[in-house]
Amino acid sequence: MDKLIEQFSLGLFFWQLILFVALVLLLKKFAWKPILNAVNDREEGILKALESAENARKEMQNLTADNERILKEARIERDVMLKEAREMKESIISEAKGEAHAQATKVIEQAKSTIESEKHAAIAEIKNQVAELSLEIAEKVMRSELSDKNKQIKLVEDMLKEVKL
Amino acid sequence: MYKINLLKTLTFLFFAITISVGATNNTDQTSSAEQESPTYNLKTEIKEYINHHLLDSYDFTLFSYTNDAGEHKYIGFPLPVILIDNGLKVFSSAKFHHGEAVAEVGGQFYALYHNKIYKTDALGTIEYDEAHHATNEKPLDFSITKNVVFIILVGLFMLLIFSRMANSYKNNPMPKGIGRIFEPLILFIRNDIAIPNIGEKHYRKYMSYLLTVFFFIWIINLLGLTPLGVNVTNNIAVTLALALVTYFITTFSGNKNYWKHIFWMPGVPWPMKIILAPIELLGTVIKPFSLMIRLYANITAGHIVLMSIIGLMFIFKNWIGSPLSFGLAFALSLLELLVAALQAYIFTMLSALYFGSAVEEHADHH
């Protein structure tokens, strides 16, 4: 300890103190401030970059989700539309069928009625013709019958028999 | 491009020299040991050499030898001596002839004794007391000694390196060249020393000091391991200056909470408060004092042990001694490399801890 105090050099202490404080101040201005600022800026930049990358990833995720949702909606809409179309088709077909059926029935009805009327007409004509024919036949028969006197009498008699009083 | 290459080469040399400390110190001493006269006490010489090595000096001497004519020759150059003694006196340390001559400046005579400048008469008489201490008057001495030169050199080196590093950030976000080595260290000091100890809120204003003190101690410790023979941090004056800066920063940034914990410790009964106040007050001084002693003692001890082991080589003088002490010195040099960084780390760490206690806001402990 004695030696230590004896060896203590005030000059060295003085120079060390002055030079060291000057060194701290100079380095602070020319080195530490710019270096620490640059490092801080870089670290903040990295943090920001990471953050924005994360944001971009999230946005991307959102976008994909959106896309998927839209796709899904579109698919549902398509299905609905297809279903509607099918229904419409079916209804059109069935409507058409009904109408056709009705039309056909009508036509058939008309045909039937025409046929009926034609039939009636034909029958009437046939009846007329039959009446004429029978009259002719009857005339002819009469003529041939009435040519014989016996026969005329007989006929009169038959007829008289038929007449009931 | 040339500049960068030069820088790289210099850095490489710097580290290469650091590693080869054991070997080079050897050759220094071999030259002086080979020429020793047989009657000279080798042990005393080694002891003196170590003591001399640990001291500051007024000239820069790489090594010395004794030539055939018996003269001591020194390889190196003198440094300016600045004294305040009836006015400012500036002269070259060459006037002392390495302590062999009395320097006469402006009618005053000065002599070197044990690497200290004393006022003396024309013959260089030094008077001693019973404990063999010189009693001559000492002038106020602000000389640019070897250590001051190295403090300046390290300061310039740091300014150069770190301002270059700062410039390399201007154009791109990543450091270039030497900055790639230092950036992790700077981040380490920020993330693992400053922020945990001082806190996210206050750490910024202490970063300049912490970074400077860390790199200063580290680089100057490493220089101490080079064969340049410089030891700055084993001067108590240097470590005192560093510790004093820490003390002043701590004291001046102390907030209300800090002072309250010193003078009126909350949460203890009042008689204890009275007892604790002087203890706590003493503690504020002891903390930086321990910083001073720790750095000084570690580096000094390292140098003494390293040089003693190298000195063993000349004492053993047989085939087993030299390789053994070389191996030991090599291993110890590696250990000293670690200690150089470790002491810088500890100094920075504890400074940060003290700053942290000064700015701490919540008294949630106790």
Side-chain angles (χ1 to χ4, degrees), chain A residues 11 13 24 33 47 56-57 60 65 73 76 82 90 94 99 111 117-118 143 154-155 162:
Chain A
F13 171 74
V24 171
K33 267 214 171 132
L47 274 185
R57 202 179 62 81
M60 195 67 202
E73 275 174 16
I76 289 168
L82 277 178
E90 260 158 34
S94 63
E99 216 164 288
S117 61
E118 290 289 314
R143 259 178 215 146
K154 186 162 184 270
L155 184 68
E162 263 168 45

Side-chain angles (χ1 to χ4, degrees), chain B residues 189-209:
Chain B
I189 290 169
R190 191 192 65 173
N191 298 339
D192 292 322
I193 295 180
I195 294 177
N197 287 314
I198 304 173
E200 199 62 77
K201 200 171 152 195
H202 298 285
Y203 84 97
R204 274 169 204 279
K205 59 183 171 194
Y206 301 105
M207 277 308 285
S208 297
Y209 174 68

Side-chain angles (χ1 to χ4, degrees), chain A residues 41-55:
Chain A
D41 286 351
R42 193 182 62 201
E43 279 170 357
E44 271 166 27
I46 289 170
L47 274 185
K48 246 181 232 166
L50 281 177
E51 208 172 293
S52 62
E54 178 65 15
N55 282 348

